Amino acid sequence: MIKKVRTNNEDLSEDFLKLSIQVSLNGLSFCILDTIRHKVLLSDKRVFEGTLSHYGMLKELKALFDKHSFTKKRFSEIVVIHQNPLFGLVPGPLFNPKELPNYLKFNAKLLASDHLDYDEITSHDIVNVYVPFVNVNNYIFDVFGEFVFKHMGSILISSLLNSHNSEKKPVCYVHVADNTVDMVILQQKKLLLYNCFSFTTKEDFL
């Protein structure tokens, strides 16, 4: 999958609409943003009862697309955010794109059919290697053509590092979703820790 933005110049009314979709096995969400007025025009989400399979999640995504007639719309920019625990952070100087499975094989159960990809957090010399939902990427590509996709962790880390001040003491940021919690610890513009955990009860969370 080529990480490019597909632009449309045929319909000026849709030239500045950005579609952002977040996908996980526990739920889906999306929003449509007017990039000129910086205003969210439409948003929706689905929280699953339990963890679905890749095929079950894609079925839910298609149902969400049908509900909002997305297959009949066009957007100037489309971003798909993959949220899953199948990732590993690699220091930029140690990264080799030919070694992607070796960065994940000790921390994640990989299948021979898994497609691996990576995001470069270039301003901080970090590479996030991960397993995207390839069936979702294929579906989005069939519907819209080329688009951008990233891992949730890449966006979270980059956003926090770029906005974090140079405090000497470590600062812990926690992002809580319906069944997952992401934890980021920063100190003086440096990443000390990032990990994602799943939970079902308040005791799990604590």
Side-chain angles (χ1 to χ4, degrees), residues 33-105:
L33 176 69
D34 182 331
T35 59
I36 298 298
R37 295 180 293 171
H38 301 286
K39 179 180 179 181
V40 175
L41 303 180
L42 179 66
S43 66
D44 198 357
K45 73 173 185 177
R46 291 192 179 189
V47 179
F48 308 146
E49 294 183 4
T51 301
L52 298 186
S53 66
H54 289 213
Y55 302 102
M57 184 259 287
L58 180 59
K59 182 178 179 181
E60 291 288 340
L61 180 64
K62 290 180 177 179
L64 196 63
F65 271 38
D66 289 341
K67 175 183 176 182
H68 296 283
S69 303
F70 279 173
T71 57
K72 300 177 182 178
K73 293 182 169 71
R74 292 175 299 171
F75 302 92
S76 62
E77 184 180 357
I78 297 169
V79 178
V80 177
I81 303 167
H82 297 266
Q83 182 179 18
N84 63 39
L86 305 177
F87 68 89
L89 300 181
V90 183
L94 302 179
F95 177 70
N96 184 342
K98 297 181 181 179
E99 300 291 339
L100 299 187
N102 290 326
Y103 297 125
L104 295 183
K105 66 182 182 182

Side-chain angles (χ1 to χ4, degrees), residues 22-27 51-52 54 57 81-89 103-110 114 116-117 128-133 150-154 179-183 194-199:
Q22 183 167 321
V23 294
S24 78
L25 298 181
N26 296 311
T51 301
L52 298 186
H54 289 213
M57 184 259 287
I81 303 167
H82 297 266
Q83 182 179 18
N84 63 39
L86 305 177
F87 68 89
L89 300 181
Y103 297 125
L104 295 183
K105 66 182 182 182
F106 297 111
N107 299 318
K109 184 178 181 181
L110 300 178
D114 282 340
L116 277 62
D117 216 296
N128 186 7
V129 180
Y130 62 100
V131 182
F133 299 111
K150 296 182 179 180
H151 189 267
M152 164 72 175
S154 306
N179 301 105
T180 60
V181 55
D182 293 86
M183 182 179 294
Y194 168 65
N195 211 342
C196 177
F197 308 93
S198 60
F199 68 91

Side-chain angles (χ1 to χ4, degrees), residues 4-9 11-19 32-36 73-79 144 146-148:
K4 293 182 179 178
V5 178
R6 176 176 181 264
T7 58
N8 301 301
N9 296 316
D11 188 341
L12 294 177
S13 65
E14 297 176 328
D15 269 358
F16 307 106
L17 297 184
K18 176 181 178 180
L19 172 63
I32 297 176
L33 176 69
D34 182 331
T35 59
I36 298 298
K73 293 182 169 71
R74 292 175 299 171
F75 302 92
S76 62
E77 184 180 357
I78 297 169
V79 178
F144 297 110
E146 294 178 347
F147 64 98
V148 172

Side-chain angles (χ1 to χ4, degrees), residues 92 121-127 157-158 160-162 189-190:
I121 308 175
T122 52
S123 57
H124 301 282
D125 219 10
I126 301 171
V127 180
I157 292 169
S158 180
L160 289 175
L161 281 171
N162 291 334
K189 291 285 186 178
K190 292 184 178 181

